[in-house]
Amino acid sequence: MANNLRIAVIGTGRMGTDHIKRLTHRIAGADVTGVVDIDAGRARSAAVLAGDQAKIWDDPHAALASGEYDAFVLTTPGMLHYDVLMDALGRRLPVFCEKPLTADGPTAREIVDAEAEIGRRLIQVGFMRRFDAGYRRLRAFFEDGSLGAPLMLHCRHRNPDPPPNFTDALMIYDSVVHEMDGVRYFTGEEITEISVRRGRTTTGGDGKLSDPQQVLMRTESDVLVDVEIFVNALFGYQVHTEAVFERGIVDIGNDEGAYIRSAGRWGGEVTPGFEQRFAAAFDAEFQGWVNRLRAGAAPDGPSAWDGYAAAVCCEAGVAAQQTGAATAVYLGDKPALYRA
Amino acid sequence: MANNLRIAVIGTGRMGTDHIKRLTHRIAGADVTGVVDIDAGRARSAAVLAGDQAKIWDDPHAALASGEYDAFVLTTPGMLHYDVLMDALGRRLPVFCEKPLTADGPTAREIVDAEAEIGRRLIQVGFMRRFDAGYRRLRAFFEDGSLGAPLMLHCRHRNPDPPPNFTDALMIYDSVVHEMDGVRYFTGEEITEISVRRGRTTTGGDGKLSDPQQVLMRTESDVLVDVEIFVNALFGYQVHTEAVFERGIVDIGNDEGAYIRSAGRWGGEVTPGFEQRFAAAFDAEFQGWVNRLRAGAAPDGPSAWDGYAAAVCCEAGVAAQQTGAATAVYLGDKPALYRA
Amino acid sequence: MANNLRIAVIGTGRMGTDHIKRLTHRIAGADVTGVVDIDAGRARSAAVLAGDQAKIWDDPHAALASGEYDAFVLTTPGMLHYDVLMDALGRRLPVFCEKPLTADGPTAREIVDAEAEIGRRLIQVGFMRRFDAGYRRLRAFFEDGSLGAPLMLHCRHRNPDPPPNFTDALMIYDSVVHEMDGVRYFTGEEITEISVRRGRTTTGGDGKLSDPQQVLMRTESDVLVDVEIFVNALFGYQVHTEAVFERGIVDIGNDEGAYIRSAGRWGGEVTPGFEQRFAAAFDAEFQGWVNRLRAGAAPDGPSAWDGYAAAVCCEAGVAAQQTGAATAVYLGDKPALYRA
Amino acid sequence: MANNLRIAVIGTGRMGTDHIKRLTHRIAGADVTGVVDIDAGRARSAAVLAGDQAKIWDDPHAALASGEYDAFVLTTPGMLHYDVLMDALGRRLPVFCEKPLTADGPTAREIVDAEAEIGRRLIQVGFMRRFDAGYRRLRAFFEDGSLGAPLMLHCRHRNPDPPPNFTDALMIYDSVVHEMDGVRYFTGEEITEISVRRGRTTTGGDGKLSDPQQVLMRTESDVLVDVEIFVNALFGYQVHTEAVFERGIVDIGNDEGAYIRSAGRWGGEVTPGFEQRFAAAFDAEFQGWVNRLRAGAAPDGPSAWDGYAAAVCCEAGVAAQQTGAATAVYLGDKPALYRA
């Protein structure tokens, strides 16, 4: 195998440090040799996590310009992504970009257009669920047609505990965005329409959210989608998807693990959070990305187009929340680079 | 125990003969001593099923007037129910009435008002799911509050094969009506609003139905309900309900029975139809009704009010199918007789 | 249907009163018109349960001789069975006999021989599990050969709480006897050899039992059977059977019912005891027996031979417990009456 | 992090090449820089798999002596292990040794004694199941005592297809050995006694094996163990373990993955083989071993003592197969190095 990939991680918050640990301890063929953060203390801590071999930077553009890195992992807040991605595209440097691609649809579209202009994929967006074994198995049923055409998708996204200052809009941008990407991944179609239903609100939260909500979507071929988004689901984390095909039904995300009968109950332990639920998916996502780059190939995970589509869907979702009306989703032309 | 109840079954089609067999072979304390059908041959066959001790009538009113019966089971088509029920109410005779209560909301309301005027329950409506062990267990969570307030209900109603000449409207009247009653049973609330979403239609049917559809409802306390109604679900029958509470989730109607690993698959056999799925519920429904009447008590199963509410909900559901808009449900005042 | 069967219940302890309630409230076509108990108070209470229409007897032989009953249900302790059964056989009266058939193998053999001499089945023995839907489904795999020949049976029999003064021998006679009958029912073969392994004993019991134990059996065609018998299984009741065939595996008795996610656990509620687990089987057992007798047919449930075989197997099981050695089971010739 | 570990893989058959691919593509911190095989062609192919950076050797002792490697992975047939391990121990070089440790109990004991003499663990044995998430969760119940003391273990080990020329003895050495190690891992106790039951043989095999068999074991504290070993289980692979504790039951290895309802069946797809079932365990096993060595620590996975105990248990198991009698297991003194 070629030498290990030299990677700089830009942003050393929670996601950034998680990825540094992953790349250092669980991913073959990559070394974190650079960390970038304007907070010098945080950057130093991150460098230690990388085995003390990482150079510290406070300016991502300097790191990009240095020539010392084969690839970048971008985990700063979304509003900082645009400049870094544009700089990286200009230098033809590959970037693994955590969602969101950028702060909004129009800037995301600019990234898409810039990459399409280059004519080669450099960006991969961090929709890790696409690397989950269940997601892959379910998608195969959409692709092989063995159960006939898809008709409906029922999605559950339950979180035990939202971050502080969570808002209705963030329920779309942070949580439902994964379901939106899942719908696009499974069906291979774009989402065309979104509406949101609000009902009784749990007393289990802080009272500022309308929680749970139901997000209704429709795809190009009229597959109907309903999403329950519930971010104060006190029993534990759950992501569950049920696909209805003409000749069968497929569920993924069912409860698994050790099965216990005790104290009058049978069953098992609920997965506490997304870190546990998607641990293997995160690893597979990064290993696949590293393997592609080491082999000299372009990344084949979620693309800038996927990030852009998610941004537009989220904006439509928030509009639907606010207006109560079904909201259309318009993406415009899809550049050839992103057609299969 | 008192002597066996003498029962006349009015209508000897599929449901009627099923109930004759049930009452004769599986229910304690009741004898089918009369059968009523305008089709003499069918009536004779039905009398044989009842052990050759049943008198044959062609006019339900004559049977009602005869004084030979303690109770009646009404299984004729719905448009014939009104006259029989009114006659029975006038004579203070108990009737087990298969759904629908009558042909439409206004006549159903007349039945309600007539029974309320009498001030004593005489009618029980055949919503058999309320006697299913799973339904009872789920309702208990709504009643005991152990998981907090209910927030959402996700319902699946999948049939392998619709009757000939099935229509979109019958999807509501014959199938979704059970979900409507279930929502009312679980929550103890009325349904306030209904809308219907149509999407991609299966190629597995005859092409005349929009199948599957999604029916969205809301209850008095704003519990959100979504129902998938799919009547050409080729894999088998399935009725599944998932209730979302503040502190937990409860599912009923999961696949059960022998668990098999063979030919590369694990799992079991899908229940073929509602007769198998709800066999025990039908028996419990009738045994409970017979036991109440033998003990001299009024029936305590689904009431005329429940039948009336179902009629109004169905009419709203069909209107929602036709208009595509959310449709309000108005029931008017609930007589004291039906308040717990 | 013919008139209701007139039944006298002999013995009004727990099983007797359960059966009186069942016959009175849940079984079509039968009336409990007699109760027999030497304890007059208990008999009176039982008569009330039967709806106050049952005549009270203190001597079973007087009831048998009275000519007032079409059939008998025998639920006295086992050592009292022999005389009643012999009397009933002499009078050609049908008896539903709760297990054990008689107090021991030799007297059970006498019953078998007496009935065989008559040449007509009059006795049905109360192995209710044969009427459980799971048991029936599993047996069908043995009969239809769709998964090839059976190779092994793994049985679990877990009780939450043994009766007071339970003994190692009673673990065989009261609990494992059901597994022995199950093995015979599923395979259609006799058991040929039994041994027992004792290991670590739970501290959850009273310390007098060796609990759990493992009972190993072998059938005529060398199907290997292992039974875990655990009578202080504090989490709840469980009867589970796993059959290994050449081309597949079938499990029955898996946990079922409402599925709950709360407080960090997923799953459901363990069935508390055999009354709940086998409620439907008890009903089906009695309804089937009543229907056969009303139709003038001989009973087709577990036979005197099945009761005899169980007695011999239990005796071998207890011997195996005591000696620690594999113990052969000899039944002698099977009369033609009991061959398929 | 320190530099990547330089690893030589000795033996490039199926297991060897699997581990080369794993170390190259999925394990962080290790490079396969040497491959050893007497078959030059096979060695060259293996070197290619390692990314063309691996030096090729035909003599393991030369590789050991070269000073070019930080650690070794030994996957040759078991009879070749003794010499390599002794050489490596002499040089204080760490070896990951696929099972068996050596060809038999006495030579395995020599390895144990040699390593104990050194006083530092250098050898890790490839019992990968200890790194399976289910195995880890089950062991935790043994360790934390939350369900009380363990009483019984029921194990199923079903393979769809044995290798050619498989024998009854290999059923023990290749398959049951994993269950033996599992019993020791879960309970933290040694196995004290083994017996084997043979029964009806499947017609699904080649007729040379007695298949399935039941292996009965006992541990130091009298936990009873039964193992079904079935190597022609045509439906697919399955490893299932059920532990009976005083206050509860825990099952691991239940069927998981996408849940499908189609063609009248519900359920999912059986895992085809151990490669799929234990893929994550293999990765965790190697990543853990690499991380320990890179950190300068001794390996903490299965030890030479575990390999030795497995060898003695297998020999007792084969003796039990041949004699039909319960066979005691004697391990002799356990050196301090291997006591927790």
Side-chain angles (χ1 to χ4, degrees):
Chain A
M1 206 65 182
N3 287 337
N4 279 4
L5 221 58
R6 298 164 305 162
I7 293 177
V9 175
I10 304 171
T12 59
R14 179 172 166 188
M15 273 314 245
T17 52
D18 272 4
H19 291 336
I20 290 170
K21 286 188 266 184
R22 175 169 291 112
L23 287 163
T24 305
H25 299 292
R26 293 203 298 280
I27 303 298
D31 294 318
V32 176
T33 55
V35 295
V36 186
D37 208 299
I38 47 166
D39 179 324
R42 225 159 59 168
R44 261 194 309 277
S45 302
V48 170
L49 286 178
D52 254 336
Q53 63 185 2
K55 186 164 168 182
I56 294 172
W57 306 78
D58 60 2
D59 175 9
H61 300 284
L64 286 161
S66 71
E68 298 178 18
Y69 303 103
D70 301 310
F72 294 80
V73 172
L74 177 58
T75 71
T76 59
M79 70 271 194
L80 304 177
H81 286 190
Y82 177 87
D83 286 347
V84 172
L85 290 173
M86 278 298 189
D87 191 357
L89 286 175
R91 298 176 189 280
R92 307 296 190 264
L93 286 168
V95 179
F96 181 101
C97 175
E98 272 304 333
K99 74 178 172 61
L101 181 62
T102 64
D104 53 38
T107 53
R109 179 79 215 196
E110 286 183 54
I111 299 294
V112 159
D113 290 339
E115 192 185 51
E117 176 78 22
I118 293 169
R120 180 154 60 88
R121 285 197 48 195
L122 289 161
I123 296 170
Q124 178 164 323
V125 180
F127 289 118
M128 79 292 184
R129 290 192 190 173
R130 295 189 179 208
F131 302 88
D132 173 64
Y135 265 58
R136 302 226 144 190
R137 186 67 194 91
L138 179 51
R139 183 180 179 171
F141 283 103
F142 284 81
E143 289 178 329
D144 67 22
S146 58
L147 298 176
L151 302 171
M152 282 194 181
L153 271 169
H154 306 297
C155 308
R156 313 277 165 265
H157 186 133
R158 293 162 182 156
N159 272 293
D161 199 16
N165 302 316
F166 215 57
T167 63
D168 282 13
L170 286 171
M171 287 171 73
I172 303 291
Y173 277 109
D174 266 26
S175 302
V176 178
V177 65
H178 284 290
E179 306 299 331
M180 291 166 166
D181 186 64
V183 169
R184 298 180 62 258
Y185 172 69
F186 294 134
T187 61
E189 299 178 20
E190 298 299 345
I191 292 164
T192 58
E193 187 191 89
I194 301 177
S195 55
V196 178
R197 295 173 80 211
R198 296 161 189 261
R200 186 163 178 168
T201 287
T202 183
T203 62
D206 63 5
K208 293 179 189 155
L209 294 174
S210 176
D211 184 34
Q213 296 180 38
Q214 187 173 44
V215 180
L216 304 171
M217 298 186 267
R218 187 181 289 272
T219 73
E220 290 167 310
S221 76
D222 268 334
V223 173
L224 296 184
V225 181
D226 55 276
V227 175
E228 175 198 321
I229 173 66
F230 186 12
V231 298
N232 289 286
L234 304 177
F235 69 93
Y237 185 80
Q238 189 184 20
V239 168
H240 185 268
T241 309
E242 182 178 25
V244 181
F245 296 91
E246 292 176 323
R247 290 198 295 275
I249 312 292
V250 181
D251 286 16
I252 58 167
N254 291 294
D255 297 309
E256 298 189 340
Y259 184 99
I260 305 154
R261 272 175 229 88
S262 69
R265 279 194 74 172
W266 55 262
E269 295 153 327
V270 173
T271 301
F274 77 91
E275 301 90 336
Q276 296 82 6
R277 170 71 178 81
F278 290 108
F282 276 118
D283 287 356
E285 176 189 40
F286 271 84
Q287 189 68 67
W289 178 69
V290 165
N291 288 355
R292 292 281 296 188
L293 297 189
R294 283 179 91 198
D300 59 357
S303 68
W305 177 263
D306 296 315
Y308 161 65
V312 177
C313 287
C314 286
E315 289 171 359
V318 171
Q321 270 183 333
Q322 291 166 345
T323 65
T327 305
V329 176
Y330 297 112
L331 293 174
D333 285 345
K334 187 173 183 174
L337 176 62
Y338 306 108
R339 295 187 219 123
Chain B
M1 207 63 182
N3 287 338
N4 279 5
L5 221 57
R6 298 165 305 162
I7 293 177
V9 175
I10 304 172
T12 60
R14 177 170 168 189
M15 272 316 244
T17 51
D18 273 4
H19 291 336
I20 290 170
K21 287 188 266 186
R22 176 169 291 114
L23 287 162
T24 305
H25 298 292
R26 291 203 299 279
I27 301 299
D31 294 318
V32 176
T33 56
V35 294
V36 186
D37 208 300
I38 46 167
D39 178 326
R42 224 159 62 167
R44 263 194 307 278
S45 302
V48 170
L49 285 177
D52 253 337
Q53 63 184 5
K55 187 164 168 181
I56 294 172
W57 307 76
D58 61 2
D59 175 8
H61 299 286
L64 286 162
S66 70
E68 298 177 18
Y69 303 103
D70 303 310
F72 294 81
V73 171
L74 179 57
T75 71
T76 59
M79 70 269 193
L80 304 177
H81 286 191
Y82 177 85
D83 286 345
V84 173
L85 290 174
M86 277 299 189
D87 191 357
L89 286 175
R91 298 176 190 280
R92 306 298 191 262
L93 287 168
V95 180
F96 181 101
C97 175
E98 271 303 333
K99 74 178 173 63
L101 182 61
T102 64
D104 53 39
T107 54
R109 179 79 215 195
E110 286 183 54
I111 299 294
V112 160
D113 290 338
E115 193 185 50
E117 177 77 23
I118 293 169
R120 181 156 58 89
R121 285 198 48 195
L122 290 162
I123 296 170
Q124 178 164 325
V125 181
F127 289 118
M128 79 292 184
R129 290 192 190 172
R130 294 188 181 209
F131 302 89
D132 173 63
Y135 265 58
R136 302 228 144 189
R137 186 67 195 92
L138 179 51
R139 183 179 179 172
F141 284 103
F142 283 82
E143 289 178 331
D144 67 21
S146 58
L147 297 177
L151 302 171
M152 283 194 182
L153 272 170
H154 306 297
C155 309
R156 312 278 164 265
H157 186 134
R158 293 162 182 157
N159 272 293
D161 198 17
N165 303 316
F166 215 58
T167 63
D168 280 13
L170 286 172
M171 288 172 72
I172 303 291
Y173 276 109
D174 266 27
S175 302
V176 177
V177 65
H178 285 289
E179 305 300 330
M180 291 165 165
D181 186 65
V183 168
R184 297 180 62 258
Y185 172 69
F186 294 133
T187 62
E189 300 178 22
E190 298 299 347
I191 292 164
T192 57
E193 187 191 88
I194 301 177
S195 55
V196 178
R197 295 173 81 210
R198 296 162 188 259
R200 186 164 179 166
T201 287
T202 182
T203 61
D206 64 5
K208 293 178 189 157
L209 294 173
S210 176
D211 183 35
Q213 295 180 37
Q214 187 173 44
V215 180
L216 304 170
M217 298 186 267
R218 187 181 289 272
T219 73
E220 290 168 310
S221 76
D222 267 336
V223 173
L224 296 183
V225 181
D226 56 276
V227 177
E228 176 199 319
I229 173 65
F230 185 12
V231 298
N232 288 286
L234 304 176
F235 69 92
Y237 186 79
Q238 188 184 22
V239 168
H240 186 267
T241 310
E242 182 178 26
V244 180
F245 296 91
E246 291 176 323
R247 290 198 295 276
I249 312 290
V250 182
D251 286 16
I252 58 167
N254 291 294
D255 298 308
E256 298 190 340
Y259 183 99
I260 305 155
R261 272 175 229 87
S262 68
R265 280 194 73 172
W266 55 263
E269 294 152 328
V270 172
T271 301
F274 77 91
E275 301 91 336
Q276 295 83 4
R277 170 70 179 82
F278 290 109
F282 276 118
D283 288 355
E285 177 189 40
F286 271 85
Q287 189 66 68
W289 179 68
V290 166
N291 288 354
R292 292 281 296 187
L293 296 190
R294 284 179 90 198
D300 59 355
S303 69
W305 177 263
D306 295 317
Y308 161 66
V312 177
C313 287
C314 285
E315 289 171 359
V318 171
Q321 271 183 332
Q322 291 166 344
T323 63
T327 305
V329 176
Y330 296 112
L331 293 175
D333 284 346
K334 185 172 185 174
L337 177 61
Y338 307 107
R339 293 186 220 123
Chain C
M1 206 64 183
N3 287 337
N4 279 4
L5 221 57
R6 299 164 305 162
I7 293 177
V9 174
I10 305 172
T12 59
R14 176 170 168 190
M15 272 315 243
T17 51
D18 272 4
H19 291 336
I20 289 169
K21 286 188 267 185
R22 176 169 292 112
L23 287 163
T24 305
H25 298 292
R26 290 203 300 279
I27 302 299
D31 293 319
V32 176
T33 56
V35 294
V36 187
D37 207 300
I38 45 167
D39 179 326
R42 226 159 59 168
R44 263 193 308 277
S45 304
V48 170
L49 286 178
D52 253 336
Q53 62 185 4
K55 186 163 168 182
I56 293 173
W57 306 78
D58 62 0
D59 176 8
H61 299 285
L64 285 161
S66 70
E68 299 178 16
Y69 303 103
D70 301 311
F72 294 81
V73 172
L74 179 57
T75 71
T76 59
M79 69 272 193
L80 303 177
H81 286 189
Y82 177 86
D83 285 347
V84 173
L85 290 173
M86 278 300 190
D87 192 358
L89 286 175
R91 299 176 190 279
R92 306 298 189 262
L93 287 168
V95 180
F96 181 100
C97 175
E98 271 303 334
K99 76 178 172 60
L101 182 62
T102 65
D104 54 38
T107 53
R109 179 80 215 194
E110 285 183 55
I111 300 295
V112 159
D113 290 339
E115 192 185 50
E117 176 76 23
I118 292 168
R120 180 156 60 89
R121 285 197 50 194
L122 290 161
I123 296 170
Q124 178 164 324
V125 180
F127 288 118
M128 79 291 185
R129 289 193 191 173
R130 294 188 181 210
F131 301 90
D132 173 65
Y135 265 59
R136 302 229 144 190
R137 186 67 195 91
L138 179 51
R139 183 181 179 171
F141 283 103
F142 284 82
E143 289 179 331
D144 67 21
S146 58
L147 297 177
L151 301 170
M152 284 194 181
L153 272 169
H154 306 298
C155 309
R156 313 278 164 263
H157 186 134
R158 293 163 182 157
N159 272 293
D161 197 16
N165 302 317
F166 215 58
T167 63
D168 281 14
L170 285 172
M171 288 171 72
I172 303 292
Y173 276 108
D174 267 26
S175 302
V176 177
V177 65
H178 284 290
E179 305 300 330
M180 291 165 165
D181 186 63
V183 169
R184 298 180 62 258
Y185 172 69
F186 293 132
T187 62
E189 300 179 22
E190 298 299 347
I191 293 163
T192 57
E193 188 191 88
I194 301 177
S195 55
V196 178
R197 296 173 79 210
R198 296 163 188 260
R200 186 163 178 167
T201 287
T202 181
T203 62
D206 64 5
K208 293 178 188 156
L209 294 173
S210 175
D211 184 36
Q213 296 181 36
Q214 188 175 43
V215 180
L216 304 170
M217 298 186 267
R218 187 181 289 271
T219 72
E220 290 168 310
S221 77
D222 268 336
V223 173
L224 296 183
V225 181
D226 56 276
V227 176
E228 176 198 319
I229 172 66
F230 185 13
V231 298
N232 288 286
L234 305 177
F235 68 94
Y237 186 78
Q238 190 186 21
V239 168
H240 185 268
T241 309
E242 182 178 26
V244 181
F245 296 90
E246 291 176 323
R247 290 198 295 276
I249 312 291
V250 181
D251 286 15
I252 58 167
N254 291 295
D255 298 308
E256 298 189 339
Y259 183 99
I260 305 154
R261 271 176 229 86
S262 69
R265 279 194 73 172
W266 54 262
E269 294 152 328
V270 173
T271 301
F274 76 92
E275 300 91 337
Q276 295 82 4
R277 170 71 178 81
F278 290 108
F282 275 118
D283 287 355
E285 177 189 40
F286 271 84
Q287 190 66 67
W289 178 69
V290 166
N291 287 354
R292 292 282 296 187
L293 296 190
R294 284 180 91 198
D300 60 355
S303 68
W305 177 262
D306 295 318
Y308 161 65
V312 177
C313 286
C314 285
E315 290 171 359
V318 171
Q321 271 182 332
Q322 292 166 344
T323 64
T327 305
V329 176
Y330 296 112
L331 293 175
D333 285 346
K334 186 173 184 173
L337 177 62
Y338 306 107
R339 294 187 220 123
Chain D
M1 205 66 182
N3 288 336
N4 279 4
L5 222 56
R6 298 164 305 161
I7 293 178
V9 175
I10 304 173
T12 60
R14 176 170 168 190
M15 273 315 245
T17 52
D18 273 4
H19 291 335
I20 290 170
K21 286 188 268 185
R22 174 168 293 112
L23 287 162
T24 305
H25 298 292
R26 291 203 298 280
I27 301 299
D31 294 318
V32 176
T33 55
V35 296
V36 187
D37 208 298
I38 47 166
D39 179 325
R42 226 160 59 170
R44 262 193 308 276
S45 302
V48 170
L49 286 177
D52 253 337
Q53 63 185 4
K55 186 165 170 182
I56 294 173
W57 307 77
D58 61 1
D59 176 10
H61 300 284
L64 286 161
S66 70
E68 299 178 16
Y69 303 102
D70 302 310
F72 294 80
V73 172
L74 179 58
T75 70
T76 59
M79 71 269 194
L80 304 178
H81 286 189
Y82 178 86
D83 285 347
V84 172
L85 290 173
M86 278 300 190
D87 191 357
L89 286 174
R91 298 176 189 281
R92 305 299 189 264
L93 287 168
V95 180
F96 182 100
C97 175
E98 272 304 333
K99 75 178 173 59
L101 183 62
T102 64
D104 54 39
T107 53
R109 179 79 215 195
E110 286 182 55
I111 299 295
V112 159
D113 290 340
E115 192 184 52
E117 176 77 24
I118 293 167
R120 180 156 59 89
R121 286 197 49 195
L122 290 161
I123 296 170
Q124 179 165 325
V125 180
F127 289 117
M128 80 290 185
R129 290 192 189 172
R130 295 188 180 208
F131 302 89
D132 173 65
Y135 264 59
R136 301 228 145 190
R137 186 67 194 92
L138 180 50
R139 183 179 179 171
F141 283 103
F142 283 82
E143 288 178 331
D144 67 21
S146 58
L147 298 176
L151 302 171
M152 283 194 181
L153 272 170
H154 307 297
C155 309
R156 312 279 164 264
H157 187 134
R158 293 161 182 157
N159 271 294
D161 198 17
N165 303 314
F166 216 57
T167 63
D168 281 14
L170 286 172
M171 286 171 73
I172 302 292
Y173 276 109
D174 266 27
S175 302
V176 177
V177 65
H178 284 289
E179 306 299 332
M180 291 165 165
D181 187 63
V183 169
R184 298 179 62 257
Y185 172 68
F186 294 133
T187 62
E189 299 179 22
E190 298 298 346
I191 292 164
T192 58
E193 188 192 87
I194 301 177
S195 56
V196 179
R197 296 173 79 210
R198 295 162 190 259
R200 186 163 179 167
T201 287
T202 183
T203 62
D206 64 4
K208 293 178 187 156
L209 294 174
S210 176
D211 183 35
Q213 295 181 38
Q214 187 173 45
V215 180
L216 305 170
M217 299 186 266
R218 187 181 287 272
T219 73
E220 289 168 311
S221 77
D222 269 334
V223 173
L224 296 183
V225 181
D226 56 276
V227 176
E228 176 199 320
I229 173 67
F230 186 11
V231 297
N232 289 286
L234 304 176
F235 68 94
Y237 186 79
Q238 189 184 21
V239 168
H240 185 267
T241 309
E242 182 178 26
V244 181
F245 296 90
E246 292 177 323
R247 290 198 294 276
I249 312 291
V250 182
D251 286 15
I252 57 166
N254 291 293
D255 297 308
E256 298 189 339
Y259 184 98
I260 306 154
R261 274 176 228 86
S262 69
R265 281 194 72 172
W266 54 262
E269 295 153 327
V270 173
T271 301
F274 76 91
E275 300 90 336
Q276 294 83 5
R277 170 70 178 82
F278 290 108
F282 275 117
D283 287 356
E285 176 189 39
F286 270 85
Q287 189 68 67
W289 178 68
V290 166
N291 287 355
R292 293 282 295 188
L293 297 190
R294 282 179 92 198
D300 60 356
S303 69
W305 176 263
D306 296 316
Y308 161 65
V312 176
C313 287
C314 286
E315 289 171 358
V318 171
Q321 271 183 332
Q322 292 167 344
T323 64
T327 305
V329 176
Y330 296 112
L331 292 176
D333 285 346
K334 185 173 184 174
L337 177 61
Y338 306 108
R339 294 186 221 124

